[in-house]
Amino acid sequence: IKDERLSVVKVFASWCKTCQIFDIRYRKLASQLSDQYTLVSDPNTNSNNSNNPQSYQLTRRGPVRFAEMQFDDPNNEEMCRLLNATKLPYVLMYKGSKGKVADFQCGPSNFQRLVDEVNELMDPMDEEYGVDGFASSSLEEMEW
């Protein structure tokens, strides 16, 4: 299935204090705009059994997908260099078949830039989701 939604990737390092502060706002934005899932377990099994099969059911399709890549993970070092993600935290934005549509260094002090880019690049059909059921313009009104 082809997914044309906006995808936002945060590049961070575990030792980066700025990344840790940025992460709080990034996760808040992601929780408002990404897919929402509900944990579903089989009611016919004992809920105290740790071997219970559990799954997640999509309850709301969000207009934006969020991901993160750890800069200081040896498996990611070459990829980060290829993506020119060397000043952290770094944001990469992709839009389905269009590929990369934006990339920039984004710390807590300029987090609004990320919000503005998301507003601009999010599909018009998805803007109705907004934050907490409000119009997407409410993203601009939130305290980040």
Side-chain angles (χ1 to χ4, degrees):
I1 297 174
K2 195 171 190 176
D3 192 341
E4 292 293 320
R5 288 182 290 171
L6 178 64
S7 298
V8 180
V9 180
K10 170 191 76 169
V11 181
F12 72 101
S14 60
W15 46 260
C16 173
K17 297 295 181 194
T18 303
C19 296
Q20 293 168 10
I21 297 167
F22 178 83
D23 183 64
I24 295 166
R25 295 175 180 167
Y26 183 82
R27 289 183 185 277
K28 183 176 179 180
L29 182 64
S31 72
Q32 298 299 315
L33 296 176
S34 63
D35 292 344
Q36 303 294 311
Y37 293 89
T38 303
L39 178 63
V40 180
S41 58
D42 185 351
N44 297 323
T45 60
N46 180 356
S47 61
N48 295 329
N49 183 351
S50 62
N51 294 326
N52 270 352
Q54 296 181 342
S55 61
Y56 290 89
Q57 180 178 13
L58 180 66
T59 54
R60 181 185 71 112
R61 180 185 176 273
V64 182
R65 297 182 306 166
F66 290 84
E68 53 187 47
M69 180 169 43
Q70 190 169 342
F71 179 83
D72 52 343
D73 180 331
N75 296 318
N76 297 333
E77 286 178 6
E78 184 178 353
M79 179 62 72
C80 288
R81 277 194 295 278
L82 290 171
L83 294 170
N84 200 30
T86 56
K87 295 184 179 180
L88 305 176
Y90 199 79
V91 174
L92 302 146
M93 302 176 91
Y94 298 89
K95 185 79 177 214
S97 58
K98 293 180 184 176
K100 186 165 56 172
V101 292
D103 65 320
F104 51 92
Q105 193 278 331
C106 186
S109 63
N110 62 341
F111 189 82
Q112 187 61 44
R113 178 177 179 188
L114 174 57
V115 173
D116 293 343
E117 293 277 353
V118 167
N119 274 331
E120 181 181 325
L121 296 168
M122 191 168 41
D123 283 332
M125 294 296 289
D126 287 332
E127 288 180 1
E128 66 191 55
Y129 286 99
V131 176
D132 289 335
F134 298 107
S136 65
S137 60
S138 65
L139 281 176
E140 298 163 4
E141 299 165 7
M142 288 191 75
E143 298 261 341
W144 299 109

